[in-house]
């Protein structure tokens, strides 16, 4: 795991799990130092969060693990897989699970 992951699964039996995969817009956006990405899973699933540049090249894999259903959060500090800071610009972040793939856009300003 390369990003910081926070997981929130409500143990209350009345809690309602999401009915589908959801990927929220990162915040803040645009961002300077770090950004937060929230997502929800309806079932246990192998989950990957990856960052791509506008050319479609993978810049960073933030997460690639099996996660339980519920709400999850991961942060990106604007660095590539080698730990080097990336340049200002538009980036895409993609949530991939066993069932779905969702992509959104974010802007890094230095």
């Amino acid at each position: 795991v390369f990003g910081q992951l926070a997981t929130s699964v409500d143990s209350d039996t009345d809690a309602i799990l999401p009915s589908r995969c959801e990927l929220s817009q990162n915040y803040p956006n645009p961002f300077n130092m770090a950004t937060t990405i929230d997502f929800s899973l309806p079932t246990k699933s192998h989950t990957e969060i990856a960052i791509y540049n506008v050319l479609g090249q993978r810049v960073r894999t933030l997460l690639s693990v099996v996660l339980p259903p519920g709400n999850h959060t991961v942060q990106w500090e604007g660095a590539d897989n080698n730990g080097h800071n990336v340049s200002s610009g538009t980036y895409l972040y993609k949530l991939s699970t066993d069932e779905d793939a969702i992509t959104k856009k974010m802007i890094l300003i230095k």
Side-chain angles (χ1 to χ4, degrees):
V1 176
F2 293 98
Q4 297 176 1
L5 174 69
T7 300
S8 171
V9 179
D10 196 331
S11 61
D12 182 352
T13 56
D14 295 330
I16 298 174
L17 291 173
S19 60
R20 60 186 170 87
C21 282
E22 295 177 4
L23 178 63
S24 298
Q25 184 64 49
N26 66 300
Y27 61 91
N29 188 39
F31 70 101
N32 183 321
M33 297 293 286
T35 191
T36 301
I37 300 167
D38 294 331
F39 60 99
S40 300
L41 304 174
T43 59
K44 179 178 176 180
S45 178
H46 181 268
T47 305
E48 182 175 273
I49 301 277
I51 309 295
Y52 297 86
N53 62 23
V54 292
L55 300 176
Q57 299 164 321
R58 187 180 292 230
V59 172
R60 180 81 184 253
T61 301
L62 294 178
L63 182 70
S64 185
V65 295
V66 174
L67 290 176
N71 301 312
H72 307 277
T73 299
V74 67
Q75 286 191 324
W76 182 44
E77 291 82 20
D80 64 18
N81 279 332
N82 296 317
H84 301 111
N85 289 332
V86 299
S87 60
S88 296
T90 301
Y91 292 87
L92 303 172
Y93 59 104
K94 182 178 181 180
L95 165 66
S96 301
T97 68
D98 296 332
E99 304 293 324
D100 288 300
I102 306 168
T103 304
K104 295 207 176 208
K105 186 172 21 175
M106 64 181 152
I107 299 172
L108 170 61
I109 297 177
K110 293 194 176 188

